[in-house]
Amino acid sequence: MLWEAQFGDFGNGAQTIIDQYIAASEDKWKQTSRLVMLLPHGYEGQGPEHSSARLERYLQLCAENNLQVCYPSTPAQYFHLLRRQITPAMDRPLIVMTPKSLLRLPAASSSVEQLTTGGFLPIIDDRDIADPAAVERIVFCSGKIYYDLSEARKKSDEHRVAIVRLEQFYPFPERAVREVVDKYSNAKQLAWCQEEPRFENLMTGCERARYIGRTASASPATGSYSIHQKEQAQIAEEALALES
């Protein structure tokens, strides 16, 4: 069963149900659930509430392997995530961040082979890095901001920065993250980049990483497209700027 919100903030009115019956379903009620919540989430210069599914709230509810919280960035990832949800071992609620802009973004596409083979990847390494030994900074990110960072890197022709996508927040894929860090053994700079206002919970498992993103804010987003674009550009510039 999939519950899809028109906007991510629709989860606000269901917070009591989410707290009492979804996050605590097995521990409190001894009931398992395969419910999938599809929540539009992505800072695209729209109204504050329409930009945010309050990802941080769901991460605060995570404990004892009670939820899955994912932010797939490609059609294949989304497809395999839903396939994984019906396997016998995955009887846990699934919270999915689903940016609307990726529905029409040419870069956010998958080949037929990517759809018909493989499975969901909790983390996606940078496939555009030809020489891992030349990487000086690893930038971890999640969701649609990856495409902003990737486009900015193409324009700057900066190949000393690897952009790694975290597709699953919880359960946190610690082993996969360590493998990526070990692969880029010469990288001395580690960063976590996000477009959401600063919430410490999004950095779970990346405590050593330098934070790059918006400052903490009482409002989820600015609501101004021009200001949003300026802030996005600043985030991308900072993420790619190597420290001396």
Side-chain angles (χ1 to χ4, degrees), residues 8-236:
D9 68 295
F10 280 21
N12 291 346
Q15 196 66 45
T16 301
I17 302 299
I18 293 167
D19 292 350
Q20 297 295 328
Y21 298 105
I22 297 178
S25 60
E26 186 173 11
D27 194 43
K28 186 175 182 180
W29 304 103
K30 310 305 177 186
Q31 297 288 327
T32 58
S33 170
R34 296 179 186 273
L35 175 68
V36 179
M37 294 178 60
L38 303 175
L39 305 176
H41 175 85
Y43 289 68
E44 298 164 336
Q46 301 300 315
E49 298 303 331
H50 295 173
S51 297
S52 179
R54 295 291 190 178
L55 173 57
E56 71 282 358
R57 292 181 182 173
Y58 297 97
L59 294 177
Q60 288 172 346
L61 294 172
C62 291
E64 300 179 306
N65 200 30
N66 64 329
L67 296 173
Q68 304 165 79
V69 182
C70 299
Y71 198 166
S73 60
T74 70
Q77 281 287 90
Y78 177 56
F79 175 68
H80 290 303
L81 182 60
L82 294 183
R83 290 180 65 243
R84 187 182 75 169
Q85 186 65 3
I86 65 172
T87 59
M90 286 299 177
D91 52 350
R92 297 288 186 277
L94 171 62
I95 314 298
V96 188
M97 302 293 113
T98 57
K100 291 185 177 182
S101 65
L102 297 194
L103 292 172
R104 57 185 180 273
L105 183 67
S109 60
S110 299
S111 66
V112 173
E113 183 180 5
Q114 289 172 328
L115 288 162
T116 58
T117 61
F120 177 74
L121 302 173
I123 188 172
I124 299 180
D125 194 4
D126 195 329
R127 296 162 181 166
D128 294 326
I129 296 296
D131 182 12
V135 171
E136 298 181 20
R137 169 182 282 186
I138 308 170
V139 176
F140 286 95
C141 66
S142 188
K144 61 177 285 294
I145 198 171
Y146 162 77
Y147 295 100
D148 295 320
L149 297 177
S150 180
E151 184 64 24
R153 185 175 61 180
K154 290 178 183 178
K155 293 179 180 179
S156 67
D157 197 30
E158 177 58 83
H159 296 287
R160 294 173 297 170
V161 178
I163 306 172
V164 182
R165 283 171 276 181
L166 182 65
E167 303 276 292
Q168 177 171 296
F169 282 102
Y170 189 86
F172 185 76
E174 182 176 354
R175 179 181 297 179
V177 170
R178 291 185 182 277
E179 289 175 355
V180 168
V181 173
D182 291 341
K183 174 183 176 181
Y184 301 111
S185 56
N186 291 334
K188 305 302 180 183
Q189 301 174 26
L190 185 63
W192 167 259
C193 181
Q194 67 183 44
E195 60 180 359
E196 297 86 355
R198 184 164 190 165
F199 296 114
E200 295 298 332
N201 294 75
L202 298 194
M203 300 176 68
T204 300
C206 296
E207 287 81 1
R208 292 196 301 114
R210 173 191 171 192
Y211 173 79
I212 298 174
R214 290 173 169 80
T215 59
S217 172
S219 175
T222 176
S224 166
Y225 184 73
S226 60
I227 295 177
H228 163 79
Q229 290 292 87
K230 182 178 180 180
E231 291 176 346
Q232 289 289 96
Q234 290 175 339
I235 291 172

